[in-house]
Short mmCIF file of all heavy atoms in Angstrom, two decimals:
data_model
loop_
_atom_site.label_atom_id
_atom_site.label_comp_id
_atom_site.label_asym_id
_atom_site.label_seq_id
_atom_site.Cartn_x
_atom_site.Cartn_y
_atom_site.Cartn_z
N LYS A 11 73.98 26.56 54.93
CA LYS A 11 72.70 26.18 55.39
C LYS A 11 72.79 25.84 56.89
O LYS A 11 73.71 25.26 57.30
CB LYS A 11 72.16 24.99 54.57
CG LYS A 11 71.76 25.37 53.21
CD LYS A 11 70.71 24.44 52.57
CE LYS A 11 69.41 24.88 53.12
NZ LYS A 11 68.31 24.89 52.32
N ALA A 24 62.23 14.09 54.91
CA ALA A 24 61.85 15.35 54.29
C ALA A 24 61.42 15.28 52.82
O ALA A 24 60.40 15.74 52.46
CB ALA A 24 62.84 16.44 54.48
N VAL A 25 62.25 14.52 52.07
CA VAL A 25 62.00 14.42 50.62
C VAL A 25 60.62 13.42 50.48
O VAL A 25 59.71 13.68 49.65
CB VAL A 25 63.18 13.73 49.93
CG1 VAL A 25 62.76 13.35 48.43
CG2 VAL A 25 64.31 14.76 49.86
N SER A 26 60.60 12.46 51.34
CA SER A 26 59.39 11.58 51.33
C SER A 26 58.07 12.39 51.62
O SER A 26 57.05 12.28 50.94
CB SER A 26 59.50 10.56 52.35
OG SER A 26 60.51 9.57 52.13
N ARG A 27 58.25 13.33 52.45
CA ARG A 27 57.03 14.19 52.81
C ARG A 27 56.70 15.12 51.65
O ARG A 27 55.46 15.23 51.32
CB ARG A 27 57.36 15.02 53.97
CG ARG A 27 57.31 14.33 55.42
CD ARG A 27 57.65 15.24 56.43
NE ARG A 27 57.31 14.65 57.74
CZ ARG A 27 57.05 15.34 58.79
NH1 ARG A 27 57.00 16.64 58.80
NH2 ARG A 27 56.75 14.69 59.94
N ILE A 28 57.68 15.60 51.01
CA ILE A 28 57.44 16.47 49.77
C ILE A 28 56.69 15.69 48.73
O ILE A 28 55.76 16.15 48.09
CB ILE A 28 58.80 17.03 49.27
CG1 ILE A 28 59.27 18.12 50.26
CG2 ILE A 28 58.68 17.54 47.86
CD1 ILE A 28 60.70 18.75 49.97
N VAL A 29 57.27 14.44 48.43
CA VAL A 29 56.64 13.67 47.31
C VAL A 29 55.24 13.23 47.70
O VAL A 29 54.31 13.33 46.94
CB VAL A 29 57.58 12.37 47.06
CG1 VAL A 29 56.86 11.47 46.07
CG2 VAL A 29 58.83 12.89 46.49
N ARG A 30 55.11 12.82 48.99
CA ARG A 30 53.69 12.42 49.43
C ARG A 30 52.56 13.61 49.31
O ARG A 30 51.61 13.48 48.77
CB ARG A 30 53.81 11.96 50.96
CG ARG A 30 52.37 11.51 51.50
CD ARG A 30 52.50 11.00 52.92
NE ARG A 30 53.51 9.99 53.07
CZ ARG A 30 54.64 9.93 53.73
NH1 ARG A 30 54.82 10.92 54.58
NH2 ARG A 30 55.41 8.93 53.68
N VAL A 31 53.04 14.77 49.84
CA VAL A 31 52.05 15.82 49.83
C VAL A 31 51.73 16.36 48.43
O VAL A 31 50.71 16.80 48.03
CB VAL A 31 52.57 16.99 50.86
CG1 VAL A 31 53.79 17.67 50.27
CG2 VAL A 31 51.40 18.04 50.93
N ASN A 32 52.86 16.29 47.56
CA ASN A 32 52.67 16.75 46.22
C ASN A 32 51.81 15.76 45.32
O ASN A 32 50.85 16.21 44.59
CB ASN A 32 53.92 16.96 45.51
CG ASN A 32 54.73 18.16 46.06
OD1 ASN A 32 54.23 18.79 47.00
ND2 ASN A 32 55.89 18.51 45.58
N GLN A 33 51.92 14.52 45.53
CA GLN A 33 51.14 13.57 44.93
C GLN A 33 49.62 13.75 45.35
O GLN A 33 48.73 13.74 44.55
CB GLN A 33 51.58 12.08 45.24
CG GLN A 33 50.84 11.01 44.40
CD GLN A 33 49.63 10.52 44.91
OE1 GLN A 33 49.39 10.69 46.08
NE2 GLN A 33 48.84 9.79 44.17
N PHE A 73 54.25 12.59 40.02
CA PHE A 73 54.38 12.35 41.45
C PHE A 73 53.93 10.86 41.73
O PHE A 73 54.42 10.33 42.73
CB PHE A 73 53.64 13.37 42.24
CG PHE A 73 54.55 14.58 42.42
CD1 PHE A 73 54.12 15.87 41.73
CD2 PHE A 73 55.69 14.56 42.91
CE1 PHE A 73 54.88 16.97 41.88
CE2 PHE A 73 56.56 15.64 43.02
CZ PHE A 73 56.15 16.89 42.49
N ILE A 121 49.11 26.56 46.23
CA ILE A 121 50.08 25.56 45.69
C ILE A 121 51.25 26.38 45.25
O ILE A 121 52.43 25.84 45.41
CB ILE A 121 49.42 24.82 44.46
CG1 ILE A 121 48.16 24.11 44.85
CG2 ILE A 121 50.44 23.90 43.92
CD1 ILE A 121 48.38 22.92 45.67
N ASP A 122 51.13 27.53 44.70
CA ASP A 122 52.26 28.41 44.38
C ASP A 122 53.21 28.59 45.59
O ASP A 122 54.37 28.32 45.49
CB ASP A 122 51.80 29.68 43.72
CG ASP A 122 52.94 30.58 43.30
OD1 ASP A 122 54.03 30.06 42.97
OD2 ASP A 122 52.73 31.88 43.41
N GLU A 123 52.59 29.08 46.64
CA GLU A 123 53.45 29.30 47.89
C GLU A 123 53.92 27.93 48.40
O GLU A 123 55.21 27.98 48.81
CB GLU A 123 52.54 29.72 49.06
CG GLU A 123 51.92 31.08 48.97
CD GLU A 123 50.68 31.18 49.99
OE1 GLU A 123 50.59 30.35 50.89
OE2 GLU A 123 50.00 32.17 49.81
N HIS A 124 53.21 26.93 48.25
CA HIS A 124 53.69 25.57 48.78
C HIS A 124 54.90 25.13 47.96
O HIS A 124 55.88 24.73 48.56
CB HIS A 124 52.49 24.64 48.69
CG HIS A 124 52.85 23.23 48.74
ND1 HIS A 124 53.13 22.65 50.00
CD2 HIS A 124 52.82 22.24 47.91
CE1 HIS A 124 53.30 21.42 49.86
NE2 HIS A 124 53.17 21.05 48.66
N TYR A 125 54.89 25.23 46.63
CA TYR A 125 55.91 24.85 45.82
C TYR A 125 57.18 25.69 45.98
O TYR A 125 58.32 25.24 45.99
CB TYR A 125 55.55 24.74 44.43
CG TYR A 125 54.81 23.40 44.04
CD1 TYR A 125 53.99 23.30 42.78
CD2 TYR A 125 54.73 22.39 44.88
CE1 TYR A 125 53.34 22.20 42.46
CE2 TYR A 125 54.01 21.12 44.59
CZ TYR A 125 53.40 21.07 43.31
OH TYR A 125 52.66 19.96 43.03
N ALA A 126 56.92 27.01 46.25
CA ALA A 126 58.05 27.90 46.40
C ALA A 126 58.81 27.49 47.72
O ALA A 126 60.04 27.36 47.78
CB ALA A 126 57.52 29.37 46.52
N ALA A 127 58.03 27.23 48.80
CA ALA A 127 58.56 26.81 50.04
C ALA A 127 59.39 25.56 49.91
O ALA A 127 60.44 25.34 50.52
CB ALA A 127 57.55 26.56 51.18
N GLN A 128 58.93 24.58 49.06
CA GLN A 128 59.64 23.36 48.83
C GLN A 128 60.95 23.53 48.22
O GLN A 128 62.00 22.89 48.42
CB GLN A 128 58.76 22.40 48.13
CG GLN A 128 57.68 21.76 48.83
CD GLN A 128 56.85 20.78 48.14
OE1 GLN A 128 56.90 20.67 46.91
NE2 GLN A 128 56.15 19.91 48.90
N THR A 129 60.96 24.33 47.14
CA THR A 129 62.19 24.56 46.37
C THR A 129 63.21 25.27 47.31
O THR A 129 64.42 24.94 47.25
CB THR A 129 62.04 25.43 45.10
OG1 THR A 129 61.35 26.62 45.40
CG2 THR A 129 61.20 24.65 44.02
N GLU A 130 62.78 26.10 48.15
CA GLU A 130 63.71 26.71 49.16
C GLU A 130 64.23 25.70 50.10
O GLU A 130 65.41 25.56 50.39
CB GLU A 130 62.77 27.78 49.97
CG GLU A 130 63.55 28.45 51.03
CD GLU A 130 64.22 29.71 50.50
OE1 GLU A 130 64.15 30.00 49.30
OE2 GLU A 130 64.84 30.30 51.36
N GLU A 131 63.29 24.76 50.52
CA GLU A 131 63.74 23.70 51.50
C GLU A 131 64.82 22.80 50.97
O GLU A 131 65.68 22.30 51.57
CB GLU A 131 62.48 22.94 51.97
CG GLU A 131 62.74 21.79 52.98
CD GLU A 131 61.43 21.01 53.33
OE1 GLU A 131 60.41 21.26 52.85
OE2 GLU A 131 61.72 19.97 53.90
N LEU A 132 64.54 22.44 49.59
CA LEU A 132 65.46 21.46 48.91
C LEU A 132 66.83 22.02 48.73
O LEU A 132 67.81 21.30 48.69
CB LEU A 132 64.79 21.07 47.61
CG LEU A 132 63.69 20.08 47.75
CD1 LEU A 132 63.12 19.77 46.36
CD2 LEU A 132 64.07 18.75 48.31
N GLY A 133 66.99 23.31 48.63
CA GLY A 133 68.21 23.96 48.34
C GLY A 133 68.93 23.36 47.26
O GLY A 133 68.35 23.31 46.11
N SER A 135 70.02 20.17 47.12
CA SER A 135 69.84 18.75 47.12
C SER A 135 68.73 18.44 46.08
O SER A 135 67.84 19.25 45.79
CB SER A 135 69.50 18.22 48.48
OG SER A 135 68.17 18.70 48.79
N GLU A 136 68.72 17.21 45.60
CA GLU A 136 67.62 16.77 44.69
C GLU A 136 67.30 17.77 43.57
O GLU A 136 66.20 18.19 43.33
CB GLU A 136 66.35 16.59 45.52
CG GLU A 136 66.41 15.63 46.73
CD GLU A 136 66.49 14.19 46.32
OE1 GLU A 136 66.15 13.88 45.09
OE2 GLU A 136 66.96 13.36 47.07
N LEU A 139 64.24 16.67 41.24
CA LEU A 139 62.97 16.91 41.89
C LEU A 139 62.63 18.47 42.00
O LEU A 139 61.56 18.88 41.79
CB LEU A 139 62.94 16.31 43.31
CG LEU A 139 61.71 16.51 44.11
CD1 LEU A 139 60.42 15.87 43.45
CD2 LEU A 139 61.93 15.85 45.59
N LYS A 140 63.65 19.21 42.32
CA LYS A 140 63.55 20.65 42.30
C LYS A 140 63.05 21.20 40.95
O LYS A 140 62.19 22.09 40.93
CB LYS A 140 64.89 21.25 42.83
CG LYS A 140 64.72 22.78 43.09
CD LYS A 140 65.95 23.33 43.69
CE LYS A 140 65.90 24.75 43.89
NZ LYS A 140 67.10 25.27 44.65
N THR A 142 61.50 19.66 38.60
CA THR A 142 60.02 19.26 38.43
C THR A 142 59.12 20.31 39.13
O THR A 142 58.14 20.77 38.56
CB THR A 142 59.85 17.85 38.99
OG1 THR A 142 60.63 16.97 38.25
CG2 THR A 142 58.37 17.40 38.86
N ILE A 143 59.41 20.53 40.42
CA ILE A 143 58.56 21.38 41.22
C ILE A 143 58.49 22.73 40.56
O ILE A 143 57.51 23.41 40.51
CB ILE A 143 59.00 21.33 42.65
CG1 ILE A 143 58.78 19.97 43.32
CG2 ILE A 143 58.27 22.45 43.49
CD1 ILE A 143 59.48 19.91 44.71
N GLU A 144 59.59 23.26 40.18
CA GLU A 144 59.63 24.53 39.65
C GLU A 144 58.87 24.66 38.25
O GLU A 144 58.15 25.64 38.08
CB GLU A 144 61.16 25.07 39.22
CG GLU A 144 61.83 25.50 40.52
CD GLU A 144 63.28 25.59 40.33
OE1 GLU A 144 63.93 25.13 39.39
OE2 GLU A 144 63.97 26.19 41.33
N ARG A 147 55.27 24.49 39.27
CA ARG A 147 54.84 25.78 39.92
C ARG A 147 54.51 26.81 38.81
O ARG A 147 53.52 27.55 39.02
CB ARG A 147 56.01 26.26 40.82
CG ARG A 147 55.66 27.61 41.48
CD ARG A 147 56.81 28.06 42.27
NE ARG A 147 56.46 29.30 42.82
CZ ARG A 147 57.42 30.28 43.13
NH1 ARG A 147 58.57 30.11 43.00
NH2 ARG A 147 56.91 31.49 43.65
N ILE A 183 47.09 20.44 52.84
CA ILE A 183 48.51 20.25 52.68
C ILE A 183 49.17 19.77 54.01
O ILE A 183 49.93 18.87 54.03
CB ILE A 183 49.12 21.56 52.20
CG1 ILE A 183 48.73 21.84 50.70
CG2 ILE A 183 50.60 21.63 52.35
CD1 ILE A 183 49.09 23.23 50.22
N THR A 187 50.96 16.09 54.37
CA THR A 187 52.45 15.97 54.62
C THR A 187 52.57 14.93 55.76
O THR A 187 53.59 14.31 55.85
CB THR A 187 52.92 17.41 55.07
OG1 THR A 187 52.60 18.35 54.10
CG2 THR A 187 54.35 17.39 55.32
#
Side-chain angles (χ1 to χ4, degrees):
K11 291 205 77 143
V25 172
S26 296
R27 285 179 168 205
I28 284 175
V29 171
R30 180 178 303 121
V31 68
N32 291 1
Q33 191 271 345
F73 280 114
I121 303 287
D122 177 30
E123 289 167 14
H124 167 70
Y125 280 167
Q128 285 185 342
T129 54
E130 179 88 359
E131 182 186 354
L132 285 171
S135 70
E136 303 286 345
L139 179 59
K140 187 173 178 175
T142 298
I143 294 171
E144 281 168 346
R147 185 181 170 208
I183 287 171
T187 304

